[in-house]
Coordinates of all heavy atoms in Angstrom, one line a residue:
A460 N 37.1 5.9 -11.7 CA 37.8 6.8 -12.6 C 37.2 8.2 -12.6 O 38.0 9.2 -12.5 CB 37.8 6.2 -14.0
A461 N 35.9 8.3 -12.6 CA 35.3 9.6 -12.7 C 35.6 10.5 -11.5 O 35.7 11.7 -11.7 CB 33.8 9.4 -12.9
K462 N 35.8 9.9 -10.3 CA 36.0 10.7 -9.2 C 37.3 11.4 -9.2 O 37.6 12.3 -8.4 CB 35.8 9.9 -7.9 CG 36.9 8.9 -7.6 CD 36.5 8.2 -6.3 CE 37.6 7.1 -5.9 NZ 37.2 6.4 -4.7
R463 N 38.2 10.9 -10.1 CA 39.5 11.6 -10.2 C 39.4 13.0 -10.9 O 40.3 13.8 -10.9 CB 40.5 10.7 -11.1 CG 40.8 9.4 -10.5 CD 41.7 9.4 -9.2 NE 42.0 8.1 -8.7 CZ 43.0 7.4 -9.0 NH1 43.9 7.9 -9.9 NH2 43.2 6.2 -8.5
G464 N 38.3 13.2 -11.6 CA 38.0 14.4 -12.3 C 36.8 14.3 -13.1 O 36.8 13.6 -14.1
W465 N 35.7 15.0 -12.8 CA 34.5 14.8 -13.5 C 34.6 15.2 -15.0 O 33.9 14.8 -15.8 CB 33.4 15.6 -12.8 CG 32.9 15.1 -11.5 CD1 33.4 13.9 -10.9 CD2 32.0 15.7 -10.6 NE1 32.7 13.8 -9.7 CE2 31.9 14.8 -9.5 CE3 31.2 16.8 -10.7 CZ2 31.0 15.1 -8.4 CZ3 30.3 17.1 -9.6 CH2 30.3 16.2 -8.5
A466 N 35.5 16.1 -15.3 CA 35.6 16.6 -16.6 C 36.9 16.1 -17.3 O 37.1 16.5 -18.5 CB 35.7 18.2 -16.6
D467 N 37.7 15.3 -16.7 CA 38.9 14.8 -17.3 C 38.7 13.8 -18.4 O 38.1 12.7 -18.2 CB 39.8 14.1 -16.2 CG 41.2 13.8 -16.7 OD1 41.4 13.8 -17.9 OD2 42.1 13.6 -15.8
P468 N 39.0 14.2 -19.7 CA 38.7 13.3 -20.8 C 39.7 12.1 -20.9 O 39.4 11.2 -21.7 CB 38.9 14.2 -22.0 CG 39.9 15.2 -21.6 CD 39.7 15.4 -20.1
G469 N 40.8 12.1 -20.1 CA 41.7 11.0 -20.3 C 41.5 9.8 -19.4 O 42.3 8.9 -19.4
L470 N 40.3 9.8 -18.7 CA 40.1 8.7 -17.8 C 39.1 7.7 -18.4 O 38.5 8.0 -19.5 CB 39.4 9.3 -16.5 CG 40.3 10.3 -15.7 CD1 39.5 10.9 -14.6 CD2 41.6 9.7 -15.3
A471 N 39.0 6.5 -17.8 CA 38.3 5.4 -18.4 C 36.8 5.6 -18.4 O 36.1 4.8 -19.1 CB 38.7 4.1 -17.6
S472 N 36.3 6.6 -17.8 CA 34.8 6.8 -17.7 C 34.4 7.9 -18.7 O 34.9 9.0 -18.6 CB 34.4 7.2 -16.3 OG 33.0 7.2 -16.2
D473 N 33.4 7.5 -19.6 CA 32.9 8.5 -20.5 C 31.8 9.4 -19.8 O 31.3 10.3 -20.4 CB 32.3 7.8 -21.7 CG 33.3 7.0 -22.5 OD1 34.4 7.5 -22.7 OD2 32.9 5.8 -22.8
I474 N 31.4 9.0 -18.7 CA 30.3 9.7 -17.9 C 30.8 10.1 -16.6 O 31.5 9.3 -15.9 CB 29.1 8.7 -17.8 CG1 28.5 8.4 -19.2 CG2 28.0 9.3 -16.9 CD1 27.4 7.3 -19.2
A475 N 30.5 11.3 -16.1 CA 30.8 11.7 -14.7 C 29.7 11.0 -13.9 O 28.5 11.4 -14.0 CB 30.8 13.2 -14.6
C476 N 30.1 10.0 -13.1 CA 29.1 9.2 -12.4 C 29.4 9.1 -10.9 O 29.7 8.0 -10.4 CB 29.0 7.8 -13.1 SG 30.6 7.0 -13.3
P477 N 29.4 10.2 -10.2 CA 29.8 10.2 -8.8 C 28.7 9.4 -8.0 O 27.6 9.2 -8.5 CB 29.8 11.6 -8.4 CG 28.9 12.3 -9.4 CD 29.0 11.6 -10.7
M478 N 29.0 9.1 -6.8 CA 28.0 8.6 -5.9 C 27.9 9.5 -4.6 O 28.9 10.0 -4.1 CB 28.3 7.2 -5.4 CG 29.7 6.9 -4.8 SD 29.9 5.2 -4.3 CE 29.7 4.2 -5.8
Y479 N 26.6 9.8 -4.3 CA 26.3 10.7 -3.2 C 26.9 12.0 -3.2 O 27.3 12.6 -2.2 CB 26.6 9.9 -1.9 CG 26.0 8.5 -1.9 CD1 26.9 7.4 -2.0 CD2 24.7 8.3 -1.9 CE1 26.4 6.1 -2.0 CE2 24.2 7.0 -2.0 CZ 25.0 5.9 -2.0 OH 24.5 4.6 -2.1

Side-chain angles (χ1 to χ4, degrees):
K462 71 182 180 182
R463 300 287 182 93
W465 291 355
D467 189 339
L470 301 175
S472 187
D473 301 317
I474 296 171
C476 50
M478 53 176 63
Y479 311 110

